[in-house]
Amino acid sequence: DAGVIQSPRHEVTEMGQEVTLRCKPISGHDYLFWYRQTMMRGLELLIYFNNNVPIDDSGMPEDRFSAKMPNASFSTLKIQPSEPRDSAVYFCASSLESGGSTDTQYFGPGTRLTVL
Amino acid sequence: AQKITQTQPGMFVQEKEAVTLDCTYDTSDQSYGLFWYKQPSSGEMIFLIYQGSYDEQNATEGRYSLNFQKARKSANLVISASQLGDSAMYFCAMLTLLRGNNRLAFGKGNQVVVIP
């Protein structure tokens, strides 16, 4: 079975440019999560969706960040305009929702973003 | 608010020996799940093991076992017979098992280096 798929794996861009990160969750999973990981702040939850609907976006840093999930198999995280402090590894994860061990979140390989 | 504490400094472990990684948590909820993830230098987050707060037996998954002490609010990970491929960061995480809440709280991680 395919796991969570993310693209691109690496992105280098210049300050002010728009960046779009993509994610395909595991088929059949109802929840999709976007995380950011930095050395200073560790793993931070940015936003999560349930059945394509955003449930909690309280972790989104500011208006420059936006996330969409147009269907059950695709989500995007967009940064516009990007800034050097956005440099981080961005993870997408997905899970079922039934309680117990099926709440396990499975992570994609991550996108390493560098903003110059 | 949920809080996960992992305070051990980086650890060096001899190959084939066992290692215990400490994790304590703080929650007022009665129903919750505890997770351990492994992050090797390649960067991906790999799910290892799950323990439910109502599970009477400690979880085991191959060489991984979870020493769950509910009264002490600790969920230590034990890796038996360490292998060189176990060198990684290990993250403890907790999820409150309430419908509508899927926020995983992560600790800051434990670094493990296995030496031959």
Side-chain angles (χ1 to χ4, degrees):
Chain A
D1 288 341
V4 176
I5 299 171
Q6 290 186 248
S7 65
R9 294 293 306 275
H10 301 272
E11 177 82 25
V12 180
T13 190
E14 291 188 344
M15 183 173 64
Q17 297 297 308
E18 178 180 294
V19 175
T20 299
L21 311 181
R22 297 172 177 79
C23 175
K24 178 179 168 56
I26 294 172
S27 178
H29 279 192
D30 297 320
Y31 282 83
L32 183 140
F33 307 80
W34 282 101
Y35 289 90
R36 177 172 69 177
Q37 185 180 36
T38 61
M39 288 292 292
M40 291 296 294
R41 300 172 71 92
L43 266 163
E44 303 174 276
L45 176 67
L46 300 177
I47 185 172
Y48 77 90
F49 296 82
N50 177 23
N51 292 322
N52 315 336
V53 176
I55 301 301
D56 185 348
D57 64 355
S58 59
M60 295 286 263
E62 48 197 274
D63 292 346
R64 297 185 298 107
F65 285 69
S66 62
K68 294 182 180 180
M69 192 165 185
N71 57 63
S73 59
F74 183 67
S75 177
T76 60
L77 178 68
K78 186 175 293 187
I79 309 172
Q80 166 65 18
S82 58
E83 297 182 2
R85 60 193 167 120
D86 302 330
S87 297
V89 179
Y90 290 82
F91 286 102
C92 177
S94 70
S95 72
L96 289 168
E97 189 238 353
S98 297
S101 62
T102 50
D103 280 314
T104 297
Q105 295 181 21
Y106 294 91
F107 283 71
T111 295
R112 183 173 295 276
L113 173 65
T114 303
V115 183
L116 302 174
Chain B
Q2 301 164 356
K3 183 179 177 182
I4 304 292
T5 302
Q6 295 177 263
T7 56
Q8 286 168 302
M11 304 173 68
F12 290 90
V13 181
Q14 201 73 40
E15 194 177 9
K16 299 181 184 176
E17 303 224 329
V19 58
T20 298
L21 305 180
D22 296 339
C23 171
T24 59
Y25 57 91
D26 186 19
T27 182
S28 57
D29 298 307
Q30 296 300 309
S31 181
Y32 50 89
L34 296 155
F35 304 80
W36 277 92
Y37 287 85
K38 171 185 177 181
Q39 187 174 39
S41 58
S42 52
E44 67 268 34
M45 291 285 287
I46 303 166
F47 165 69
L48 296 178
I49 195 167
Y50 165 85
Q51 178 84 45
S53 59
Y54 290 113
D55 293 341
E56 294 185 354
Q57 296 208 344
N58 286 343
T60 60
E61 196 69 50
R63 294 186 299 110
Y64 304 109
S65 60
L66 204 151
N67 183 3
F68 180 47
Q69 298 186 40
K70 191 171 182 178
R72 301 175 75 173
K73 293 188 177 178
S74 75
N76 299 341
L77 177 70
V78 180
I79 307 173
S80 62
S82 298
Q83 301 173 356
L84 296 178
D86 294 334
S87 295
M89 280 288 285
Y90 289 83
F91 292 92
C92 180
M94 181 173 69
L95 178 69
T96 299
L97 300 179
L98 296 173
R99 186 164 293 276
N101 174 22
N102 286 73
R103 297 184 66 93
L104 258 183
F106 281 90
K108 295 197 177 298
N110 298 101
Q111 179 74 54
V112 173
V113 177
V114 180
I115 53 178

